[in-house]
Amino acid sequence: MTLLISIGNTNITCGIQTANANTIASFKLLNSEFTAENLAEQINQLLLQNKIKKLTACILASVVPEMIDTISSTVQRFFSITPIIVSSSSDLGLNLSLYNCECVGVDRLLCCTAAYASCSSASIVFDLGTATTANVVNGKGFFLGGLIIPGLELQSQMLAKAAAMLPGINIGEDAALIGNNTVQCINSGILYSTAFFINQYILEINSILGQEATVYITGGNSEYVKPYINSNIIFRRNLLLEGLNIYSSKLKE
C-alpha cells in the first residue's frame, strides 16, 4: 500500500487509496502542530482504520521545500520506506510545453493531472487553500496556466493588518450580500468576492477555450465558497492526493 503525502503551506495531508479504488482516506495535520511522533501516530491510525498492515511505498509532494527532508526522515524512521519526491519536473501526464514551469507549484499540476484524468477534456481547477488558485487544462491535455489570488484567511489577515478598525475573523459559512455588522461584512465580502471571481473566471475561460470546460473545486476552503458558485462544479476533497495516486500508478507500470 502506498502512502500519499502532500505538504502545503498550512497543512500536511496524508492519504491512502481504500479498497474502493475511487476513494482516498485521508487526514490533515497543521504544519504548526507537526512532530515526527504525532505524524507517525496519525498515519498508523489511518492504516488501522482501513485494515492495512504495512506500507510498501510513499509518494510525497511539497510546496514547502524546507519540510521535505523532515517529513521524509519521519517516514523512513517509523515505516522503513524512502519517499519518492514528486516535483513540477516529474512526468505527471500533462503537456507543459505552453507554460513556463520553472517555479510552478507541484500542487497545481497534481490537481490538474487528476482532473484531466477524470474527464479527459478541457478543465478548470480551483484550489482554495492558503492561496486560491485557478488552473486551466485544454482539451488536448496542455496545462495553460491560470491565476493566483490570496486565500480566504489571507484576505482576512491582510484586512486586519492594514485597517486599524477592522478585526481579524474566522471565516464562516453564512454570507449575506448586505451584511448588518462589521464581522458579517468582512466574512461575506471575502466569500462573495471569491465566488464572484470563480463565476466570472469560468465564463471567461469557456469563451477563450471555445467550449464548456469541466470545473473542479478542491482545497480546505472550498466548502465555504461552493454554495455561491453558479456553474455546475465537481467537488473533490482529495484531488491533489488523487493526482499523487495517479503518479504512483504510473511508476508501477
Side-chain angles (χ1 to χ4, degrees):
M1 179 58 66
T2 299
L3 175 67
L4 312 169
I5 302 179
S6 167
I7 306 171
N9 290 300
T10 304
N11 296 299
I12 301 164
T13 306
C14 299
I16 52 170
Q17 189 174 57
T18 63
N20 177 352
N22 295 321
T23 305
I24 291 178
S26 65
F27 69 84
K28 291 181 184 292
L29 176 67
L30 286 170
N31 294 9
S32 58
E33 296 179 355
F34 164 78
T35 66
E37 291 74 16
N38 189 4
L39 180 62
E41 180 182 353
Q42 293 205 42
I43 293 172
N44 279 321
Q45 285 294 323
L46 184 67
L47 299 179
L48 184 63
Q49 290 164 5
N50 290 275
K51 300 179 181 179
I52 295 170
K53 294 182 179 179
K54 185 180 179 181
L55 290 172
T56 57
C58 176
I59 307 290
L60 185 154
S62 177
V63 296
V64 187
E66 59 268 25
M67 291 191 72
I68 293 176
D69 288 345
T70 303
I71 302 299
S72 295
S73 297
T74 298
V75 174
Q76 290 172 320
R77 173 184 167 192
F78 288 93
F79 302 99
S80 301
I81 51 178
T82 300
I84 296 170
I85 310 301
V86 183
S87 70
S88 57
S89 62
S90 301
D91 182 7
L92 301 178
L94 297 173
N95 191 318
L96 306 180
S97 62
L98 299 180
Y99 187 83
N100 181 359
C101 291
E102 189 173 318
C103 60
V104 65
V106 67
D107 54 341
R108 296 173 65 193
L109 298 180
L110 285 166
C111 286
C112 287
T113 293
Y116 187 73
S118 175
C119 68
S120 299
S121 63
S123 55
I124 305 170
V125 179
F126 295 98
D127 186 358
L128 278 66
T130 305
T132 292
T133 66
N135 308 284
V136 182
V137 179
N138 71 13
K140 296 182 179 180
F142 285 77
F143 177 71
L144 303 182
L147 295 178
I148 301 175
I149 64 173
L152 307 189
E153 282 88 1
L154 274 179
Q155 292 183 50
S156 174
Q157 292 167 14
M158 288 188 294
L159 280 172
K161 183 177 181 180
M165 295 293 290
L166 296 183
I169 67 165
N170 294 318
I171 302 299
E173 294 182 0
D174 294 330
L177 280 172
I178 303 176
N180 62 13
N181 61 69
T182 301
V183 169
Q184 187 181 57
C185 288
I186 296 171
N187 185 71
S188 299
I190 291 171
L191 292 182
Y192 270 116
S193 64
T194 303
F196 291 161
F197 156 69
I198 291 173
N199 289 329
Q200 189 62 35
Y201 194 77
I202 293 169
L203 294 176
E204 297 289 346
I205 295 303
N206 284 343
S207 177
I208 291 171
L209 295 176
Q211 65 182 111
E212 189 170 318
T214 304
V215 181
Y216 294 83
I217 187 168
T218 190
N221 290 322
S222 55
E223 294 194 61
Y224 293 123
V225 176
K226 65 186 178 75
Y228 307 102
I229 298 174
N230 299 330
S231 304
N232 291 326
I233 57 170
I234 300 172
F235 171 60
R236 298 284 269 270
R237 187 184 307 278
N238 287 315
L239 193 62
L240 195 158
L241 294 186
E242 289 179 38
L244 279 174
N245 200 43
I246 290 169
Y247 182 76
S248 173
S249 297
K250 287 182 64 176
L251 294 179
K252 297 173 185 176
E253 293 175 356

